[in-house]
Amino acid sequence: MKAAWKARLGNMRLALRRSLFGPQALAFLPAAALAAFWLGGEPLLLVTALGLPLLYFLSGGFPATAGAAIAAEGQKDLVGTAEAGAIASEAMEAAATARLSTACILIEIDGFEEIALRAGETTLETLRDLTLTRIRNTLRRDDRAVRISDNRFMALLSPSVRLDLEALLQLATRLQTALEEPASVDNSMRYLSASIGFCGSPRLKPGARGDDLIEAAQIALSEALSNGPSAIRAWSDSMRAAYTAQKSLQGEVDKALDNGQIQPWFQPQVCTSTGAITGVEALARWIHPERGIVPPAQFLRCLEESGKMDRLNEVVLQHSMTALRSWDQAGLDIPRVSVNFSEVELRDPRLTERIQWEMDRFGLTPHRLGIEVLETVIASSPEGIVARNIVELGKLGCHIDLDDFGTGHASIAALRRFKVHRLKIDRSFVSRIDRDEDQHRMLAAILGMADRLGLETLAEGVESVGEHALLSQLGCDHVQGFGIARPMPTDQMVTWAREYSLKIAEAQNLGRRSG
Ligand code: C2E
Ligand code: CA
Ligand code: CA
């Protein structure tokens, strides 16, 4: 009871302050000045004309952000799930009573875990406060904004007539722009980016509650996060179906890893001058009893979310070593298997030790294992455990491939420091090179740079004979893509490699005879 009165008193104080010191107070300045002159002559006129704006400024009401700063005063910064639900219910009820709409906007700072690893707790706290202040300053005075987890914020809009998709999208964009303004924190500039998901109350079924509104915004936010960084998504009915399917996959995927349903398929890589197989890339596939072959795009996110990426790496590595040994025994000449390592896997402090142990167990030397690291990972990890692991694996004898080259911003210094052997040129630079002049020029420039740096090159996503031929002419060392072969299971590789070797030998014989 006492608390309720305290809150009511607080609200009254706030309302009084707003009416006295809100921007409207300035509208009365000429009238106040006139009255002062009439009552006390020039001295009182001066005191009023200068004193009133000064008083307004000291009350914190002068900057452009004043309204929100005062509104924020009565709000709590961090709330739990139950409280967030209560705020949403309150907003829904207020909107329904007034026959108006409300909306829930959820905002998450991208890559906060990464920032958390590098910055101290004080910096994080400052960034959280700054984010909340920026959100509140962008919203209207009666909207609510709170933090609901480490790096997630929730805004609930006060009842309004115009909360259609376009208006909400504009507001979300304004919020994003405000949050992505560079900020100077603890003497260094921070460049944050934010992903946003939102849902307006008219989009929900009649009778929906606060929790339903938050859940819909949450679904939209997870969609934004998987398309991010810096993405905005509005909730839609079809999103819920996809989300439910994803959730049901999540339940199954952990078991699938343990019962052997997830395993790698292999895609050949060949030399452009001799045609020989120079390696294969291991690509994870889920052999699902009902859904058929599920590609990694559909289950990697589940594994990331349940923290199982290192388990996937173990499984893929073991299958790859087993496959390599079986191909050796079948008399095939496949020099190396390359395995994709995500940043999470590269953070394992015992990674090098584990890989050495696995290679010994299979009686294979480390140079038969290729480590594919995304260019973006190398570009963002100049120091620390990820960098140490890559360097150590290189020293062990593993072959380091820089994956999706051209999509990140790895420096030449990083290429040297990480002892990268080969650039895997991203498919976006490879497709249509035989038909697109700009694409052709760009690829020639990349190959020229790699040549000067003494790095081998592999072009990904080679689909046509024309692309393959031009890549050979331009001096790209290796090619991989549907034009050569699609990823295939271990045993199918034996048949494919034999047939392919026969074809290459025939082509060479033909070349010799005609030469
Ligand atoms: P990535 O490492 O860039 O792999 C190449 C992707 O391009 C593969 O997709 C492959 O099937 C596809 N591809 C190959 N040739 C062509 C072509 O000629 N045209 C087109 N359109 N596509 C081609 P996939 O197997 O769906 O894998 C997608 C991504 O999933 C991979 O991209 C990789 O980042 C990730 N991934 C796959 N397996 C693993 C794994 O075991 N561990 C980790 N951490 N990531 C994996
Ligand atoms: Ca790869
Ligand atoms: Ca790639």
Side-chain angles (χ1 to χ4, degrees):
M1 194 64 188
K2 226 172 152 187
W5 269 107
K6 237 172 143 180
R8 205 169 290 174
L9 225 84
N11 284 344
M12 277 166 65
R13 236 186 40 218
L14 206 67
L16 198 70
R17 269 193 76 181
R18 274 185 200 161
S19 50
L20 283 178
F21 297 115
Q24 69 277 12
L26 286 184
F28 294 105
L29 191 58
L34 204 69
F37 184 63
W38 187 60
L39 283 173
E42 269 171 23
L44 202 59
L45 167 71
L46 263 174
V47 168
T48 312
L50 295 176
L52 256 184
L54 187 70
L55 205 67
Y56 184 54
F57 174 75
L58 289 178
S59 77
F62 222 36
T65 59
I70 293 174
E73 195 183 81
Q75 297 185 23
K76 212 166 147 185
D77 285 354
L78 177 65
V79 302
T81 317
E83 228 172 322
I87 295 174
S89 295
E90 224 174 84
M92 293 279 275
E93 276 160 29
T97 315
R99 292 177 185 275
L100 296 170
S101 313
T102 179
C104 175
I105 305 179
L106 290 179
I107 303 146
E108 187 163 312
I109 300 299
D110 296 316
F112 205 72
E113 280 172 25
E114 192 58 35
I115 304 171
L117 278 176
R118 290 190 201 151
E121 192 45 45
T122 339
T123 307
L124 283 189
E125 209 44 54
T126 314
L127 286 174
R128 283 188 198 111
D129 288 348
L130 179 73
T131 304
L132 191 56
T133 307
R134 283 177 167 182
I135 294 173
R136 285 176 175 166
N137 288 350
T138 310
L139 296 175
R140 287 169 311 167
R141 183 183 303 167
D142 295 324
D143 300 337
R144 295 276 315 256
V146 285
R147 177 156 71 84
I148 54 171
S149 76
D150 244 14
N151 62 335
R152 196 170 276 195
F153 300 82
M154 177 180 84
L156 270 152
L157 307 189
S158 54
S160 168
V161 200
R162 258 199 88 243
L163 281 186
D164 55 13
L165 184 63
E166 200 190 325
L168 286 172
L169 208 57
Q170 277 174 8
L171 175 59
T173 312
R174 277 207 305 282
L175 280 165
Q176 199 178 49
T177 312
L179 295 178
E180 293 183 358
E181 267 301 292
S184 169
V185 175
D186 298 337
N187 298 325
S188 67
M189 284 311 274
R190 299 269 162 194
Y191 300 90
L192 299 180
S193 78
S195 291
I196 299 181
F198 64 83
C199 178
S201 59
R203 305 209 99 196
L204 297 179
K205 291 197 177 79
R209 291 166 313 133
D211 289 343
D212 301 320
L213 185 66
I214 297 183
E215 192 199 34
Q218 242 151 10
I219 294 172
L221 178 63
S222 30
E223 190 66 26
L225 287 170
S226 59
N227 285 283
S230 202
I232 298 177
R233 289 291 181 276
W235 183 81
S236 72
D237 242 337
S238 62
M239 229 176 235
R240 185 186 292 282
Y243 184 77
T244 316
Q246 177 83 5
K247 278 275 161 242
S248 91
L249 267 190
Q250 183 106 40
E252 290 178 61
V253 75
D254 289 1
K255 277 183 248 141
L257 257 185
D258 292 329
N259 65 21
Q261 284 180 4
I262 294 182
Q263 48 182 264
W265 279 18
F266 301 93
Q267 188 178 33
Q269 302 166 336
V270 301
C271 171
T272 49
S273 48
T274 63
I277 303 170
T278 48
V280 293
E281 177 177 7
L283 293 158
R285 294 287 179 273
W286 182 355
I287 324 293
H288 195 284
E290 286 123 37
R291 296 173 205 245
I293 311 299
V294 184
Q298 286 179 31
F299 63 87
L300 281 183
R301 207 168 108 204
C302 297
L303 289 175
E304 271 165 19
E305 279 172 12
S306 58
K308 287 282 168 71
M309 284 303 278
D310 44 357
R311 177 80 188 111
L312 171 73
N313 186 251
E314 266 173 38
V315 167
V316 170
L317 204 64
Q318 279 179 16
H319 276 283
S320 299
M321 297 300 108
T322 312
L324 205 50
R325 221 169 43 177
S326 73
W327 297 328
D328 285 355
Q329 282 160 1
L332 302 185
D333 184 12
I334 297 182
R336 180 179 304 121
V337 179
S338 297
V339 173
N340 290 284
F341 281 70
S342 71
E343 191 170 359
V344 183
E345 292 147 47
L346 288 165
R347 275 208 208 110
D348 176 2
R350 297 188 51 232
L351 184 67
T352 317
E353 205 181 309
R354 179 164 69 80
I355 286 184
Q356 180 146 37
W357 188 82
E358 286 285 352
M359 302 299 290
D360 286 349
R361 192 159 76 89
F362 282 92
L364 296 164
T365 51
H367 76 266
R368 302 204 59 195
L369 175 67
I371 312 282
E372 293 207 5
V373 186
L374 288 173
E375 187 189 14
T376 42
V377 171
I378 280 198
S380 66
S381 314
E383 310 291 339
I385 182 76
V386 174
R388 265 203 312 281
N389 270 337
I390 299 171
V391 171
E392 286 302 313
L393 287 169
K395 277 193 198 152
L396 191 68
C398 299
H399 198 267
I400 310 292
D401 275 347
L402 198 56
D403 205 357
D404 294 357
F405 183 76
T407 59
H409 300 279
S411 65
I412 290 176
L415 299 184
R416 289 214 181 288
R417 202 167 104 64
F418 289 97
K419 301 267 188 310
V420 169
H421 290 103
R422 184 166 68 170
L423 303 183
K424 286 194 76 174
I425 305 164
D426 191 62
R427 187 162 69 89
S428 55
F429 295 94
V430 175
S431 62
R432 300 173 58 87
I433 42 156
D434 52 336
R435 279 173 283 165
D436 182 331
E437 192 53 39
D438 286 344
Q439 190 81 331
H440 180 162
R441 236 178 287 130
M442 177 67 94
L443 198 97
I446 296 176
L447 293 173
M449 182 202 73
D451 188 44
R452 279 192 290 281
L453 292 172
L455 295 169
E456 279 186 51
T457 47
L458 179 145
E460 290 191 297
V462 178
E463 292 185 349
S464 71
V465 178
E467 288 166 359
H468 190 157
L470 191 57
L471 285 158
S472 313
Q473 274 176 28
L474 289 172
C476 180
D477 303 302
H478 312 262
V479 283
Q480 173 185 347
F482 295 169
I484 294 103
R486 285 180 179 260
M488 61 189 102
T490 312
D491 43 357
Q492 211 169 302
M493 180 62 91
V494 179
T495 326
W496 181 86
R498 286 196 180 129
E499 283 172 6
Y500 174 80
S501 301
L502 281 177
K503 240 180 13 201
I504 293 292
E506 251 171 50
Q508 279 169 348
N509 280 340
L510 226 110
R512 237 174 270 137
R513 263 185 260 136
S514 61

